[in-house]
Amino acid sequence: MPSGQPTRRDECDGTLSSSERSERGHGSDAPVPKLEQTSPSEALIELAELFENGPCPYVVLALDGRVVRANRAFLTLSGMAAEAVTTWRFQKLLTSAGSIFYETQILPALHLFGVRNEVALDVVQRQTGRVPVLANFSLRYDGEGKASGILVVLLEASERRLYEKDLLNSRRAAEQVSEVVLHSSDAIARISTSDVIESWNNGGEQMFGYAAGEAIGRGFAELIFPGEQSVEVEHARALLVQGKVFTKETVGRHKDGRNVAVSLTVTPHMEAPGTLVAYSAIIRNDSSRKLAERALIQSEKLAAVGRLASSIAHEINNPLESVTNLIFLARQCAISSEQQAYLDSADEELRRVSIIASQTLRFHRQLSKPQAISCTDLFSTVLSVYQGRLRNSSISVEKLKRAKQPVSCFEGDLRQVLSNLFTNAIDAMPTGGRLMLRSREGRDWKSGKTGLLLTVADTGTGMTETTKAHLFEAFYTTKGIGGTGLGLWISTEIMERHQGRITIRSSQNELHRGTVAIVFLPFDVAN
């Protein structure tokens, strides 16, 4: 026998020759497991048993899809009797969409590649309806190598389909949450235990000016919290390690260096056994709320001052009347002309004080219904209150009152509007100037209504383009701590209630510097 060929004994007892052991990498003494030998008839019986009672549905198809043979698991899956199943084609056991998919997609690929694995289909069972399966297809060949049939193994996938559905729903929910976080107006960031930013949303970019690419990878506290606030945020890690939430109202730092009032909430993310793996920060811009709070406090102060001024004006009326009477009696006893002059001067000043007290009361009191009032009364009322400031600031007043027809309005509201315009004009002329008051009847070019036009013009410093752009916004002021930024905003609302409007022009040109405010109030304003 040629060298290297296995002997009969090698074939029968499952051992290999020395040359084959050398070629397959086994040492000469390596043990080789022996295969249990069965007779051909026994092997056929075992294969038939495996086919018939196997745990998976197994079916043999003709090339046209006709069922040639099916095992017990397939009969159970399809709900068909053994004698009836061979009269059906495999396509009829599928849904209509599955049948089309089988004909147009599975068969062409099967003839091209010989196999198709893990194809998701639904078998229509008569009793329970659809049963999801994963199908594995392979071609069966005859002795000449030609395709003679199709072997199909089915795996029931009900639980897998439910798992995939739950997984898809969870993924969709996670994507929705991620989308909400990404587009939130609050700054939301995920930070590692080493204080490095790992995620950064659009709110963070809008609030602090850093794009995600600029923020990710940088230190959280160092990036957006200046000085003492940075140290404070770093100290919060002691609470986070204990699983506690850290909250604080503090100040953040924008990319351009300005400060931003914020409320900060930092939440730890823990893993068993109580290990901090990361933390998230939610930062809300509190600048508007802080401004609103300051404005509310300022408004309350102004209201309290107004009530106090009204009370004082009311209380001094009686003493003023008494002093006026005493001056009248003193005039009767005065001997010299010099004494008479002093008493006349005192009487004049007392009358002015009485007018101011009366006007102060009128500012505080509000009528419940609109009343007819002339432009002369409106200007005179406000001028009497600011006469002292105008004189002390060396501001001259020029009046041109051409309007004759009275207008129906809430007098207190209109006095407030004019008072705000007078105050702004006086503040714009700290070293003196001219205050020009004009009134005339005119027409609003927007609405076409006729009404009263009141003009308040000054020769002050004028406004910048930035100031003009934000002129009627709430809380915007150029007066620092002395201003609330509410005067023109409230005046605009008052004019809207009266169906009127305010127009303001301003210039800083040396040749015609100053500001002109025009108030339009229609005659036919609704009550």
Side-chain angles (χ1 to χ4, degrees):
M1 185 171 290
S3 174
Q5 295 295 322
T7 63
R8 181 70 180 170
R9 179 174 177 275
D10 292 332
E11 294 176 350
C12 294
D13 62 10
T15 59
L16 299 175
S17 65
S18 59
S19 61
E20 286 182 329
R21 284 199 299 268
S22 175
E23 289 173 0
R24 300 188 185 189
H26 294 284
S28 58
D29 297 328
V32 178
K34 294 182 179 180
L35 299 177
E36 185 177 348
Q37 298 298 312
T38 58
S39 65
S41 59
E42 290 176 339
L44 289 174
I45 292 171
E46 289 180 358
L47 289 174
E49 179 72 16
L50 178 62
F51 175 86
E52 186 65 28
N53 299 317
C56 298
Y58 190 89
V59 62
V60 180
L61 307 177
L63 292 178
D64 61 357
R66 181 174 50 83
V67 177
V68 176
R69 188 177 180 187
N71 70 347
R72 186 176 300 171
F74 182 83
L75 296 176
T76 302
L77 175 68
S78 63
M80 300 186 67
E83 59 274 10
V85 71
T86 55
T87 64
W88 284 64
R89 295 178 68 193
F90 181 73
Q91 296 92 313
K92 291 187 66 176
L93 300 174
L94 306 177
T95 62
S96 57
S99 177
I100 295 172
F101 183 75
Y102 177 83
E103 294 283 357
T104 60
Q105 301 294 325
I106 297 175
L107 281 180
L110 187 60
H111 284 287
L112 184 63
F113 299 107
V115 293
R116 281 298 306 273
N117 291 326
E118 294 191 358
V119 180
L121 296 171
D122 284 341
V123 173
V124 180
Q125 192 182 67
R126 293 183 176 180
Q127 290 80 10
T128 60
R130 295 184 180 185
V131 179
V133 297
L134 290 177
N136 295 325
F137 299 88
S138 64
L139 282 180
R140 184 182 185 184
Y141 299 94
D142 58 17
E144 298 179 358
K146 295 181 179 180
S148 60
I150 302 172
L151 306 178
V152 185
V153 178
L154 304 177
L155 303 173
E156 190 172 344
S158 300
E159 292 186 5
R160 173 169 175 165
R161 190 75 60 85
L162 290 174
Y163 172 77
E164 290 175 347
K165 184 178 180 180
D166 290 341
L167 186 63
L168 182 62
N169 289 337
S170 299
R171 180 176 180 179
R172 186 179 294 113
E175 289 174 350
Q176 290 173 350
V177 171
S178 177
E179 192 73 10
V180 170
V181 170
L182 179 64
H183 296 289
S184 173
S185 59
D186 295 335
I188 302 176
R190 186 180 72 249
I191 302 105
S192 70
T193 54
S194 57
D195 196 46
V196 174
I197 297 174
E198 296 179 339
S199 70
W200 187 256
N201 72 335
N202 293 348
E205 180 176 354
Q206 294 169 8
M207 195 177 302
F208 297 104
Y210 294 100
E214 297 175 287
I216 294 174
R218 298 181 63 177
F220 173 65
E222 176 187 359
L223 180 67
I224 59 175
F225 292 103
E228 296 178 1
Q229 284 78 14
S230 177
V231 175
E232 212 167 282
V233 172
E234 290 176 351
H235 288 168
R237 191 176 289 109
L239 288 176
L240 299 173
V241 171
Q242 300 173 24
K244 297 179 180 179
V245 176
F246 173 77
T247 58
K248 184 173 180 60
E249 290 188 357
T250 182
V251 176
R253 178 179 54 206
H254 194 273
K255 183 179 180 180
D256 60 15
R258 59 185 169 87
N259 290 336
V260 182
V262 299
S263 60
L264 170 67
T265 301
V266 184
T267 305
H269 300 282
M270 312 292 289
E271 285 186 359
T275 303
L276 178 68
V277 295
Y279 58 92
S280 60
I282 300 177
I283 311 167
R284 176 160 293 176
N285 192 332
D286 277 352
S287 300
S288 297
R289 183 174 65 84
K290 293 291 185 183
L291 284 172
E293 288 176 354
R294 286 199 293 269
L296 181 60
I297 293 171
Q298 185 72 4
S299 297
E300 287 296 325
K301 288 180 179 178
L302 292 173
V305 170
R307 289 191 293 269
L308 178 61
S310 177
S311 299
I312 292 173
H314 182 270
E315 292 299 325
I316 66 174
N317 269 334
N318 291 334
L320 282 175
E321 187 175 351
S322 298
V323 173
T324 302
N325 291 335
L326 291 173
I327 290 176
F328 175 77
L329 294 174
R331 278 178 174 174
Q332 310 304 317
C333 303
I335 301 172
S336 66
S337 58
E338 187 178 3
Q339 290 174 336
Q340 285 285 351
Y342 287 151
L343 290 172
D344 289 342
S345 178
D347 185 57
E348 183 181 347
E349 292 299 321
L350 281 175
R351 287 180 186 278
R352 198 167 72 84
V353 172
S354 179
I355 291 172
I356 291 174
S358 175
Q359 299 297 347
T360 302
L361 282 172
R362 292 179 67 188
F363 263 91
H364 181 67
R365 293 170 182 163
Q366 179 60 282
L367 298 173
S368 59
K369 293 183 178 180
Q371 299 291 325
I373 187 170
S374 67
C375 66
T376 302
D377 292 335
L378 280 172
F379 279 144
S380 299
T381 301
V382 181
L383 275 175
S384 63
V385 176
Y386 291 99
Q387 196 64 49
R389 284 193 64 186
L390 292 168
R391 184 174 58 249
N392 294 335
S393 300
S394 301
I395 297 173
S396 62
V397 180
E398 300 176 7
K399 294 178 280 188
L400 179 60
K401 303 170 184 176
R402 294 183 293 178
K404 304 297 183 182
Q405 182 178 342
V407 66
S408 179
C409 65
F410 288 99
E411 185 182 349
D413 285 350
L414 263 294
R415 282 197 300 267
Q416 185 175 356
V417 172
L418 292 176
S419 178
N420 287 330
L421 296 177
F422 278 28
T423 301
N424 290 341
I426 294 170
D427 290 340
M429 297 182 289
T431 59
R434 291 184 300 148
L435 176 64
M436 290 152 281
L437 308 178
R438 303 283 189 269
S439 68
R440 64 182 177 88
E441 297 173 8
R443 184 181 298 274
D444 180 34
W445 62 271
K446 276 191 174 181
S447 64
K449 294 181 178 181
T450 58
L452 179 65
L453 286 169
L454 303 177
T455 302
V456 179
D458 64 69
T459 57
T461 55
M463 303 179 194
T464 65
E465 292 300 323
T466 302
T467 301
K468 286 189 284 187
H470 300 280
L471 196 56
F472 296 104
E473 292 181 8
F475 313 124
Y476 182 80
T477 179
T478 58
K479 299 179 183 179
I481 195 171
T484 63
L486 295 174
L488 288 177
W489 179 66
I490 292 173
S491 298
T492 303
E493 288 194 341
I494 291 173
M495 295 310 301
E496 287 176 355
R497 288 200 301 269
H498 285 78
Q499 300 178 23
R501 63 190 183 93
I502 302 176
T503 305
I504 295 180
R505 301 193 305 271
S506 187
S507 172
Q508 292 186 321
N509 191 305
E510 290 296 333
L511 298 178
H512 45 84
R513 185 172 58 186
T515 300
V516 178
I518 300 175
V519 175
F520 173 77
L521 193 66
F523 290 131
D524 58 346
V525 62
N527 293 344

